[in-house]
Amino acid sequence: MEDAPIFGRDRELASLRAGLVAAAGGAGRLVLVGGEAGIGKTRLATAVAAMAGSYGIPVARGHAVDDPGMPPLWPWRRLARSLPALHRVLCDAHSGTDDSARFALLADAADALVTEAEPGGLLLVLEDLHWADRTSLRLLAHLATELPASRILVVATYREAELSELMRAPFTRAVQLRGLTRGDVAGWVRSATDESDPESVAARLVDGTGGNPLYVRMLLDSGEVAGHQELHRLVLSKLDRLCPRARDVLGVASVLGERIDPALLAAVTGEDPAAPLDDAVAAKVLQADDGSLAFTHALVRDAVYEDLAPSVRAELHRRCALALAASGGAPGRIATHWHRAGGADAAAECTRWATEAARAATAELAYDEAAGFAALALATAEEKTAELTLGLARAEFLAGDTQSSLAHCRTAARLAQEAGAPELMAEAALVITGLGDRSLLAAVDQLCVTALRHVAEEATATRARLLARRAMAATTTGAAERARELSAAALELAVRSGDPDAELDGIHARHLTLCAPQFRDERVELANRAVELAGTARQPHAELWGHVWLVDAAIQAGDLAEVDRQLDLIEQFATSRQHGVAWWHLHRLRATRAALVGQLQKARECNETARAVAERMGVSAATGMYHAFRNELAQLVGGIDEETAREVFDVIALVGDIPLARVYVPFLHAILGQTDEARATFEEFRSMPATLEAGPTWAPLVGQIGVVACMLNDAETAASVYSVLSTLDPCFAADGSGAVFSTAATPRLLGDLAMTCGRTEVAAGHYRLALEMNARIGARPFAALSRLGLARALTDLSAARTLAAEAAAEFRALDMPIRLAEADRLLRQIGAAEQARDPLSPRESEVVDLVAQALTNRQIATRLHLSERTVETHVRSVLAKLGLRTRTEIAAWELTRRA
């Protein structure tokens, strides 16, 4: 029956053939084949594998299994048996236990597969994604982004699963298999039987099975073509032809899983299962599959398993767990069997093995699976200890479930306090790191406060880390000075402890609390120390922090050569470690660098690349920085389209209470010309500049309030912002908090603020300084804006015209049409002012000058190569424009003007 043709799938087969040919030609894709159990997904995948063989295209196959203990990346590990490069990647250790380490693993695996596909193509078949672990799905999503430029066709089958991320990939095709039609089944009946009325039989089969090919095949095999309502019973009827020993062996096999390991089966049954297995193959209960044995379908295995008595199942799970443990099986599989086993020791064994499985999954960067095993360990434990609860909290945090992690941190801290274990209280306070959510940090801060009351004074490293965490929490509440005090104390304790990891925690907190322009020099010292310590501490990512911080400091100093040097170092770090966060920082900082010097298209491309990297890593926080960059770029070029603005409004609505995000609401309204909405939403920010403490995001927030004040011609708020920012030394916009964008020389904003307040002479001084600073570093768009501002501030119309014309030329060269239009408007205004000041045309001025020299009309005509009549016309025009009556009065007017 396996060799029979596939009925009713001509369109799907044609689509897969086309995908195979396209992939071999360098245009890879992912085909997701979905449908209910028995619908023919595996049959279709086998058919496309046969096609690939006929084209000489290598095939690699992997599958997930219905076993909660399945090791992470199991489908890919099965597939890697025939792909040596992938096998090496999956076996290599990747340093770290965070998103970057996982990114490195996924990137290396995807690169290995792309390389394996050269030069002739590669077919990857992944079956049963509905059972796949989250890490396996992440790898498939990562690979999907590489497929368009690869020679890989991925065919993946699934029943019901959440695959929306994969479905959205541009080169994904979805094939949803439905039941066969009566015509399809009739063709099958003709091919497989001698029925005289195949159409009638087909109608009954479709009515009874919905056209499901597996059920149709089972009915045809049974000979009961008139219908068989109890399909579960039909599956079990295959066992009736087997001897009791074979049925017992199949029962054990169903407990072990859908696919059968004869050696493990022998260990559980205590006998050689070869003969019973052969009988089961003959009865079509089992089939040879890829060199091994498996149930003919998951439904068959399920039916056998469900037919076992509950007590028998529990005993078999116990025996399976013991056999797996003796043979060095995966901890997750052992834990799962103990969870389903019977016996007084089953719960304790489940806890032990689930704890080990959580550790192993974490080491393999499979954080979702680690959280699942840690939860199982805690659920089956006789005593809910602080250690087990902490294990779950850590796993949940790595898996991204921060709220559950926080709840378990609190529980662990309470249990540790009850047990008199202050070191565990401290560990509970230190689980959650690197997040900016205020309520979350407030909760962590309270855990730190409690822990500090119990941790011994001599535990300097632990106390330093707790104080560092408190300092970071304080920055989110606006208590910037208090945060700096806490960070100084944390760093002093950390240095005294001699623990490099504690010192790095102190450095991180200290740097965060010094994120304001005033503290650049100390930030540079901290960044260099972080790079130095990264080699000896257990935090190699500290090197990345240091380089990112130094980029910010170099931008603030206007040292673009140092910016480029640090970017090169970040690229080396990202390349050598396949570090996802490093790649993200590299691309977003390149966007900032490009915008600063007027490479606007490159800036947009780098920002898009940064977002793509963040999405591949699953780092949602990067979305805000992506849109912040777009806002700043809109501010630079002078406009934004409504669709983009609407996207940004939606993102801002999600972040809620972050002032630096909310301040862009009035900005967007203002730049869209919605003045009333801008003024209404700006009201909450007007009093902020005088009340905010200098700390993280202080400079960009106050600066952006100033920008909106200028856009709305709000002189009062502009004056408030000016009084705050004018106390700072002139520098380039960057404060250490991560340069999303730099608006270059800070005196330009001071010039805009002074102009809004009506202080044009003061504004002119700021613009001159900004022009000199921006020109010095090649910040072309900002130098042009400085020229435009200075042109507006000058009363010397000739000098203003020159500056505005230079600005217009630069805006034209940089393809900034909105700013060009502003410069052109200013040039027209200057021309009108010049015309009002001197109404005479250039030729009329020449005639007046010669009249003042007492030349006659004829003499003037000769001098200017004009006719005497034309000179007379100019003289009459001058008399009319100046309200004069005689040539003598013209001469007197000219002499007075010269004086």
Side-chain angles (χ1 to χ4, degrees), residues 66 72 159 217 337 717:
D66 182 16
R159 293 185 199 168
R217 173 174 295 183
H337 281 296
T717 306

Side-chain angles (χ1 to χ4, degrees), residues 108-172:
D108 287 348
D111 289 347
L113 288 166
V114 170
T115 301
E116 292 267 16
E118 296 294 337
L122 177 64
L123 171 64
L124 303 180
V125 177
L126 293 166
E127 295 193 69
D128 298 326
L129 288 189
H130 47 280
W131 289 326
D133 56 287
R134 288 287 300 278
T135 309
S136 289
L137 294 178
R138 283 180 183 272
L139 176 50
L140 182 54
H142 196 104
L143 178 62
T145 65
E146 306 289 342
L147 290 177
S150 78
R151 299 182 186 275
I152 302 173
L153 173 65
V154 181
V155 176
T157 69
Y158 70 99
R159 293 185 199 168
E160 293 185 4
E162 176 48 54
L163 303 177
S164 57
E165 181 181 357
L166 291 168
M167 292 289 190
R168 287 195 298 268
F171 288 86
T172 295

Side-chain angles (χ1 to χ4, degrees), residues 75-221:
W76 295 98
R77 296 183 191 281
R78 300 292 293 175
L79 183 147
R81 292 175 301 171
S82 55
L83 300 173
L86 178 62
H87 180 76
R88 284 193 297 272
V89 169
L90 297 182
C91 291
D92 286 348
H94 285 74
S95 62
T97 54
D98 60 9
D99 287 335
S100 295
R102 179 163 55 185
F103 177 87
L105 169 65
L106 302 184
D108 287 348
D111 289 347
L113 288 166
V114 170
T115 301
E116 292 267 16
E118 296 294 337
L122 177 64
L123 171 64
L124 303 180
V125 177
L126 293 166
E127 295 193 69
D128 298 326
L129 288 189
H130 47 280
W131 289 326
D133 56 287
R134 288 287 300 278
T135 309
S136 289
L137 294 178
R138 283 180 183 272
L139 176 50
L140 182 54
H142 196 104
L143 178 62
T145 65
E146 306 289 342
L147 290 177
S150 78
R151 299 182 186 275
I152 302 173
L153 173 65
V154 181
V155 176
T157 69
Y158 70 99
R159 293 185 199 168
E160 293 185 4
E162 176 48 54
L163 303 177
S164 57
E165 181 181 357
L166 291 168
M167 292 289 190
R168 287 195 298 268
F171 288 86
T172 295
R173 302 288 182 272
V175 175
Q176 193 68 29
L177 298 183
R178 309 293 181 190
L180 301 178
T181 65
R182 290 185 179 183
D184 297 331
V185 175
W188 192 347
V189 172
R190 290 191 193 93
S191 172
T193 71
D194 297 324
E195 287 290 332
S196 59
D197 187 2
E199 284 76 12
S200 176
V201 172
R204 290 197 299 274
L205 285 171
V206 171
D207 289 343
T209 66
N212 184 295
L214 175 66
Y215 299 157
V216 171
R217 173 174 295 183
M218 290 169 63
L219 292 175
L220 288 174
D221 284 350

Side-chain angles (χ1 to χ4, degrees), residues 152-342:
I152 302 173
L153 173 65
V154 181
V155 176
T157 69
Y158 70 99
R159 293 185 199 168
E160 293 185 4
E162 176 48 54
L163 303 177
S164 57
E165 181 181 357
L166 291 168
M167 292 289 190
R168 287 195 298 268
F171 288 86
T172 295
R173 302 288 182 272
V175 175
Q176 193 68 29
L177 298 183
R178 309 293 181 190
L180 301 178
T181 65
R182 290 185 179 183
D184 297 331
V185 175
W188 192 347
V189 172
R190 290 191 193 93
S191 172
T193 71
D194 297 324
E195 287 290 332
S196 59
D197 187 2
E199 284 76 12
S200 176
V201 172
R204 290 197 299 274
L205 285 171
V206 171
D207 289 343
T209 66
N212 184 295
L214 175 66
Y215 299 157
V216 171
R217 173 174 295 183
M218 290 169 63
L219 292 175
L220 288 174
D221 284 350
S222 72
E224 300 182 38
V225 294
H228 194 310
Q229 298 301 315
E230 185 52 65
L231 289 170
H232 179 79
R233 187 62 249 166
L234 179 59
V235 171
L236 294 178
S237 69
K238 290 176 175 287
L239 274 64
D240 293 341
R241 287 170 277 176
L242 298 174
C243 66
R245 178 167 172 254
R247 289 198 295 270
D248 290 343
V249 168
L250 284 176
V252 177
S254 73
V255 172
L256 284 170
E258 183 184 339
R259 297 173 189 267
I260 297 167
D261 178 351
L264 182 60
L265 188 60
V268 176
T269 60
E271 60 179 292
D272 182 1
L277 292 178
D278 288 343
D279 291 344
V281 171
K284 296 183 179 179
V285 177
L286 300 181
Q287 64 182 1
D289 179 51
D290 196 20
S292 62
L293 288 177
F295 284 91
T296 52
H297 198 277
L299 290 174
V300 177
R301 180 256 180 174
D302 292 346
V304 174
Y305 181 81
E306 291 167 9
D307 199 49
L308 296 171
S311 59
V312 173
R313 280 203 299 264
E315 175 57 26
L316 289 177
H317 277 297
R318 178 185 183 82
R319 287 159 57 186
C320 288
L322 292 169
L324 281 166
S327 63
R333 292 191 69 190
I334 299 170
T336 301
H337 281 296
W338 276 118
H339 187 47
R340 296 174 177 176

Side-chain angles (χ1 to χ4, degrees), residues 559-580:
D559 187 349
L560 296 194
E562 178 63 11
V563 169
D564 292 338
R565 191 177 78 85
Q566 293 298 330
L567 289 177
D568 287 344
L569 291 170
I570 292 173
E571 183 172 17
Q572 291 174 25
F573 184 93
T575 302
S576 64
R577 308 191 186 202
Q578 277 297 298
H579 194 284

Side-chain angles (χ1 to χ4, degrees), residues 291-440:
S292 62
L293 288 177
F295 284 91
T296 52
H297 198 277
L299 290 174
V300 177
R301 180 256 180 174
D302 292 346
V304 174
Y305 181 81
E306 291 167 9
D307 199 49
L308 296 171
S311 59
V312 173
R313 280 203 299 264
E315 175 57 26
L316 289 177
H317 277 297
R318 178 185 183 82
R319 287 159 57 186
C320 288
L322 292 169
L324 281 166
S327 63
R333 292 191 69 190
I334 299 170
T336 301
H337 281 296
W338 276 118
H339 187 47
R340 296 174 177 176
D345 59 342
E349 288 295 319
C350 180
T351 296
R352 178 166 76 93
W353 285 104
T355 300
E356 182 58 33
R359 291 195 193 98
T362 299
E364 294 183 8
L365 314 180
Y367 306 134
D368 298 284
E369 290 69 34
F373 286 125
L376 178 61
L378 185 62
T380 55
E382 182 177 345
E383 180 184 2
K384 305 302 189 270
T385 65
E387 290 92 337
L388 286 172
T389 308
L390 262 176
L392 178 55
R394 292 191 188 98
E396 287 170 333
F397 178 69
L398 288 171
D401 188 355
T402 53
Q403 290 303 321
S404 295
S405 178
L406 174 61
H408 285 113
C409 285
R410 285 170 164 160
T411 302
R414 176 179 55 78
L415 291 171
Q417 184 174 354
E418 292 171 356
E423 68 284 355
L424 291 180
M425 294 179 67
E427 286 187 39
L430 296 170
V431 167
I432 297 175
T433 61
L435 298 176
D437 180 83
R438 290 187 181 185
S439 60
L440 191 65

